[in-house]
Structure formats: C-alpha cells, structure tokens
Amino acid sequence: MERRSDNVTKGVQTAPQRSLFNALGMTKEELDRPLVGIVSSYNEIVPGHMNIDKITDAVKMGVAMAGGTPIMFPAIAVCDGIAMGHTGMKYSLVTRDLIADSTECMALAHQFDALVMIPNCDKNVPGLLMAAARLNIPTIFVSGGPMLAGKVKGCKTSLSSMFEAVGSYAAGTMTLDDVDEFVEKACPTCGSCSGMYTANSMNCLTEALGMALQGNGTIPAVYSERIKLAKHAGMKVMELLEKNIRPRDIMTEKAFMNALTVDMALGCSTNSMLHLPAIAHEAGVELNLDIANDISAKTPNLCHLAPAGHTYIEELNEAGGVYAVMNELNKKNLLNTDIMTVTGKTVLENIENVTNKNPEVIRPIENPYSEVGGIAVLRGNLAPDSCVVKRSAVVPEMLKHEGPARVFDCEEDAIAAIKGGKIVDGDVVVIRYEGPKGGPGMREMLNPTSAIAGMGLGSTVALITDGRFSGASRGASIGHVSPEAAVGGPIALIEEGDIIKIDINANTINVDITDEEMADRKEKWQPREPKITTGYLARYASLVTSANTGAILNTK
C-alpha cells in the first residue's frame, strides 16, 4: 500500500530527504515503516502537561511495538488558571487556532502517515481535534489525564475552591492562614484540574466523539493505568492506519450529536459550546446551538461533578467513566450506537458491557439530577444570537431571576466592585467588551464568578458577559452573549439600572426596554477603538467570528 511518507522516504528522488533522516540517526529499517507523528503537548508551565513526557514515551513504545516509527513534535498549551484574571487570559482561546494551524503545518510538511495527539488542558484538546478533522489522516487521542482532588480539613476540593477562597477572604469569612492551606492542598498532583472543568470536559467528549480509547477522559494522570492506555493508543493507531479509518469517518454528524448528549448528561463546561461547533466546522459538519437545546430537552443530567457538586473526575473514573454514562443514556436510546470509533468497533460494541458502579456519582437514568441537560442556550433581546449557561451548576432559586443591571466594560472593574461590596443581592452584573473580537480573545470570568460565590452572593446575583466562563465557574453565570459588544450587540446598549429578566428553564434572557428604545440606543452607539493593534491578538481580532459560531476564524 502506498503511504504518504513515501514522498520523503522512497525512491532516488527522496535521497536529499533521506540524508536529513540520516542526520536524525534514523535507520533504513525505521524509514521502511510508517512514520507516525506523536503530537506531544509536554511543557513545564502547565500542571496538566508536566507528565506528558511520560505519556509520549509510552505512546512511542506502543507505536514501535505495532510496527510503526514514532516521531515526536510539539504543540503549545496555556494554563488557564495561571493566565486567569490578567492580560494573559486574552491568550488562551486564541491558542486553539495556533495549535490547529501549527499541527497542520508539521503533519503535512513532513508527510506523516498517522498521528497520535497527546493534549490535556483547555484549548489544547479542541485545537488538536480541529487539526485532526482538518488533516483527516488516521489519528487517535490520549490525554495527560486529570489531577486527583485536593483535601482540606477532611473535605475534597479543587481549583474552583481556591478562587472562591480569595472571595471569602475579601468578605472576611476566611483567614489568610486558611487561604494558604488551600494553596498548599487544592492541587496536589499533576494533571488537568480535578473537576468537570473545560479540560476534563473536552477529554471526556473525546471519548464520546469516538476519537479516544475508554478511560481517556477519566483515568487520573498519576495512575499507571494511564501509561498502559498510552501504549494501547500507540498500538491502536497502527490498526487505524492499516484499515484506513480516518477522523472524518468517526467525527460524523451522528458523533457530534452523541458528544452533545454526553455533554448534557455529564454537565460539562460551557466552553464545550464554543469548541464542539469549531471542531464540527473542520469536519464539515454544521452544528448550530439550537440543536443543543433540542438535545438538552430530552437528555437527563446524570452527574454533578465539581463545581456543580462534591464529586470529582477520579470518582467518575471509579464509577465506570464516560462509557458507563453512555450506557445509561443508551437505556433510553439517546445515542447513535451504530457508528465507528477509534477502537475499530461501534459505539454499541464499546459500551454494552460497561456497568455503572456508583449510582451516587452517575445517577441511573431512571433517577437523574434533572430530566433536562446540564447546559442551556438562551435567547432574547439581550442575546438574539444566543448565550450559554451551565444550568446544572445554578442553584434552583436562580433559574429565574430579575434584577437591575450593574454595567462594567471590563473584567477588572467588575472584580473591584464585587470585592468592594458594591454588588448587592438581586443585582445582575454585566461585563462587556470581553468577547472574541472585543477582548480580544474572549477571556474567562472565573475571578468575578468566584468572587461572587466567595462573597456569599452566589444564590442572589447573576453575571452576564460576552466573554466566557471557566468550567470551574458556578452559579447563574451566563456567557458567550452574541452578538458581542464590540460589534454593537445589544449587550453594548445596556445602561446601569436596566431591568434584566432571566429564565433559564424557558431559555430566555431579555432587558426590559422597548424595541424603540433599543433602536434609539443602537443609533447613538459608536464602536470603540481596538484595545490591541499589534501582534497575534490584533490579527486574531480581525478574523474571529462570533461566539455562537464557535469563534472560528473567517477565512473568506
């Protein structure tokens, strides 16, 4: 069978290329085998990536055992936690496209026959999924794995508790010594932070999409089982290459419907509503957010993992993981089970013998946390093109809320007001000009949501933004408001004191002003000068589209 790598390894015309492989110390025997690119996201700044060197070594061994020649090249990754709350957060979402683009460049420039993607945190997973769909050569995913939960004063905890501790200290309900104890104990191991935040959401959804082996989303980073999983992934990619099973054979429209369904059952991060449409776009599948509400309406929420509840990814793993959740969903025929996955088997073959080992962690489908899914897409005159909320992390009394707008044109001003005691029960905090184009980069608002929770306002105050939220956020945190303020969306027209009406179960969000008043304000509105005019962020801002389309880049 002719291979892509023949373009650089076979025939007299490739003698110059082979001389460079010789410079790498590669033998003729290695060049006679398929060349498998190992896309390693290892670095020394992201806790979820510090162990990926071990995962990479294990993958390379698996590829070699199965008859391939593994060759590693890197992908970047940003730690959203370290980048949070300052200008660094502008550089998080934007890396998704850098990762996809650079992986495309490396894979095609060097003519790899197959790829193993090794991501872990936040934008790194969707960026590599976008690359896989775009390249469409045999590919499998194996992540670095989740962190174990921390333990403070006998209770399990995680990064979201760390951010909320800062708010509690500002409110005078926690001492500096208490905060320091959280610092030492909240994040005890390597791995992606231990709740159902964005990284773990996307790694779990990689299983649901069919692009990773069982356990990829849940086996803790520090478990030896993760090393074994990596070896099996390396072996399996050789089978995918032999059978010519490609990402677009797996990431079909039916697969994306499965991913949305599992998303609703797990209660994933709202960022999944940004990433799934972008990945689907690369796979040639249209995924509009209206579909999300249709799926949510019939999909029970089965898990309340942190920050929605007090269980963590390690417990989801012990309960049977993503496949156990999928098996529960299949009891009501909510999944497409006849489609191919990287196992070489169908979804049904993968999940049919997996059992739910802990009905407290994964609720049986007959006894869900709610009859509807964990994420809701809202529309109204405030967000005509949609906005998103993690419904499973909202307390019941905030599912319907009405209150005066407290308007801020950047995250920093909102945080100062919250910590300064200027936000009171009933308020609706509005943070605008933080969208994909206006930010630029669509910063996560974990600091203000954590400050609201830490100040004891989580059950009385809502927050609305054209930015986005960390998966660690909880409460009535409504993000991705589209159109964004920077392009003159209605969120740019809200004034201090306007009454905002939110009804999450009815999927509505409105500001209580007339259409005539809205039109009058729109006529007077003036676009703002870009915050950043040079470098990568300026180029990104000029190309990025709205959040409701996945903040993909406009290449037309």
Side-chain angles (χ1 to χ4, degrees):
M1 182 180 73
E2 192 172 311
R3 300 173 187 151
R4 185 185 301 268
S5 62
D6 290 351
N7 293 323
V8 292
T9 61
K10 296 289 188 292
V12 69
Q13 73 278 3
T14 71
Q17 286 90 342
R18 283 184 282 122
S19 73
L20 293 167
F21 281 114
N22 183 67
L24 290 168
M26 285 201 174
T27 65
K28 180 180 182 301
E29 290 81 359
E30 286 174 293
L31 296 184
D32 283 340
R33 295 179 168 196
L35 302 186
V36 180
I38 314 300
V39 189
S40 173
S41 303
Y42 169 75
N43 64 47
E44 295 182 340
I45 188 62
V46 184
H49 290 239
M50 63 180 286
N51 65 316
I52 283 179
D53 56 339
K54 309 293 189 299
I55 305 298
T56 301
D57 289 344
V59 167
K60 290 171 72 175
M61 183 174 288
V63 169
M65 286 193 294
T69 297
I71 305 173
M72 187 277 290
F73 65 87
I76 65 168
V78 162
C79 176
D80 278 20
I82 294 175
M84 195 72 65
H86 53 87
T87 193
M89 181 43 69
K90 295 178 185 290
Y91 287 89
S92 171
L93 177 61
V94 302
T95 63
R96 189 183 70 179
D97 295 276
L98 273 176
I99 291 162
D101 292 349
S102 60
T103 302
E104 174 193 357
C105 292
M106 290 294 287
L108 294 182
H110 303 102
Q111 294 291 286
F112 288 107
D113 297 301
L115 297 170
V116 182
M117 306 291 200
I118 312 178
N120 210 26
C121 289
D122 292 88
K123 313 313 155 304
N124 186 244
V125 186
L128 289 177
L129 281 165
M130 289 165 67
R134 188 187 301 173
L135 289 162
N136 201 34
I137 62 177
T139 301
I140 194 168
F141 277 67
V142 57
S143 77
M147 185 184 290
L148 293 178
K151 188 170 282 189
V152 177
K153 294 179 169 56
C155 296
K156 284 189 174 182
T157 191
S158 59
L159 182 68
S160 53
S161 301
M162 189 71 255
F163 279 90
E164 289 176 16
V166 176
S168 298
Y169 176 73
T173 58
M174 186 176 282
T175 67
L176 194 56
D177 286 343
D178 290 332
V179 174
D180 287 342
E181 185 176 7
F182 271 93
V183 169
E184 294 297 323
K185 297 178 178 178
C187 299
T189 71
C190 64
S192 48
C193 296
S194 55
M196 188 52 81
Y197 310 146
T198 305
N200 292 327
S201 294
M202 293 309 302
N203 281 320
C204 286
L205 294 183
T206 303
E207 283 191 62
L209 275 172
M211 288 297 294
L213 300 178
Q214 181 181 4
N216 181 64
T218 59
I219 298 169
V222 294
Y223 283 14
S224 297
E225 190 181 354
R226 174 68 54 180
I227 301 294
K228 292 165 64 177
L229 180 75
K231 291 176 183 175
H232 283 132
M235 295 179 217
K236 185 62 68 172
V237 80
M238 298 306 297
E239 182 183 325
L240 295 174
L241 177 60
E242 181 184 352
K243 295 178 178 178
N244 197 29
I245 298 173
R246 300 172 182 239
R248 290 190 196 177
D249 299 326
I250 295 167
M251 288 193 281
T252 61
E253 183 175 356
K254 286 184 176 181
F256 282 101
M257 296 305 104
N258 283 353
L260 279 170
T261 301
V262 173
D263 188 328
M264 298 300 170
L266 286 172
C268 289
S269 163
T270 52
N271 281 311
S272 62
M273 294 294 102
L274 204 61
H275 300 320
L276 287 174
I279 300 160
H281 174 76
E282 295 288 356
V285 174
E286 184 181 348
L287 197 65
N288 72 67
L289 292 187
D290 291 324
I291 297 170
N293 276 346
D294 294 341
I295 290 176
S296 182
K298 61 184 180 183
T299 305
N301 178 226
L302 304 181
C303 299
H304 265 193
L305 298 150
H310 300 290
T311 52
Y312 296 83
I313 301 297
E314 63 198 67
E315 286 150 313
L316 176 61
N317 185 63
E318 291 160 8
V322 175
Y323 277 17
V325 174
M326 293 175 74
N327 201 22
E328 289 290 345
L329 292 169
N330 196 44
K331 291 176 183 177
K332 289 195 174 179
N333 299 314
L334 295 173
L335 296 175
N336 299 295
T337 59
D338 59 343
I339 55 177
M340 181 55 60
T341 70
V342 290
T343 66
K345 299 176 182 178
T346 65
V347 169
L348 181 61
E349 290 174 305
N350 288 341
I351 69 174
E352 60 185 344
N353 295 317
V354 181
T355 58
N356 180 357
K357 298 175 183 176
N358 190 337
E360 296 302 313
V361 176
I362 304 171
R363 287 278 186 94
I365 200 158
E366 303 82 11
N367 180 37
Y369 281 101
S370 70
E371 294 292 343
V372 293
I375 289 178
V377 176
L378 315 183
R379 289 182 190 268
N381 71 348
L382 179 50
D385 290 343
S386 77
C387 56
V388 179
V389 63
K390 187 172 182 176
R391 174 166 42 200
S392 58
V394 179
V395 293
E397 55 266 37
M398 288 299 290
L399 290 171
K400 191 171 185 177
H401 181 75
E402 181 176 324
R406 305 298 310 281
V407 183
F408 304 93
D409 287 350
C410 66
E411 177 188 9
E412 289 82 358
D413 289 351
I415 292 170
I418 295 164
K419 291 184 177 178
K422 295 178 181 178
I423 302 301
V424 300
D425 291 347
D427 283 349
V428 179
V429 176
V430 177
I431 306 177
R432 61 193 182 188
Y433 294 99
E434 290 284 8
K437 191 176 290 290
M442 202 180 182
R443 288 195 287 183
E444 287 184 343
M445 302 293 151
L446 180 56
N447 274 3
T449 58
S450 298
I452 286 170
M455 297 285 283
L457 298 170
S459 60
T460 59
V461 170
L463 193 153
I464 299 171
T465 181
D466 55 4
R468 59 194 179 92
F469 293 109
S470 164
S473 293
R474 60 189 177 100
S477 303
I478 299 166
H480 308 193
V481 171
S482 303
E484 62 174 292
V487 297
I491 192 172
L493 312 177
I494 294 173
E495 296 179 358
E496 187 81 8
D498 284 347
I499 299 300
I500 293 175
K501 298 178 177 180
I502 302 161
D503 191 334
I504 293 172
N505 286 334
N507 303 111
T508 60
I509 183 166
N510 290 287
V511 56
D512 192 16
I513 61 174
T514 64
D515 292 346
E516 291 76 16
E517 173 66 14
M518 185 78 82
D520 184 55
R521 292 183 187 181
K522 174 70 172 178
E523 192 172 336
K524 296 174 182 174
W525 178 80
Q526 293 292 323
R528 301 193 171 198
E529 289 295 319
K531 294 177 184 176
I532 294 175
T533 57
T534 60
Y536 179 61
L537 283 181
R539 294 199 304 276
Y540 181 87
S542 71
L543 294 171
V544 71
T545 62
S546 177
N548 67 296
T549 61
I552 60 173
L553 300 186
N554 185 354
T555 57
K556 294 181 181 178

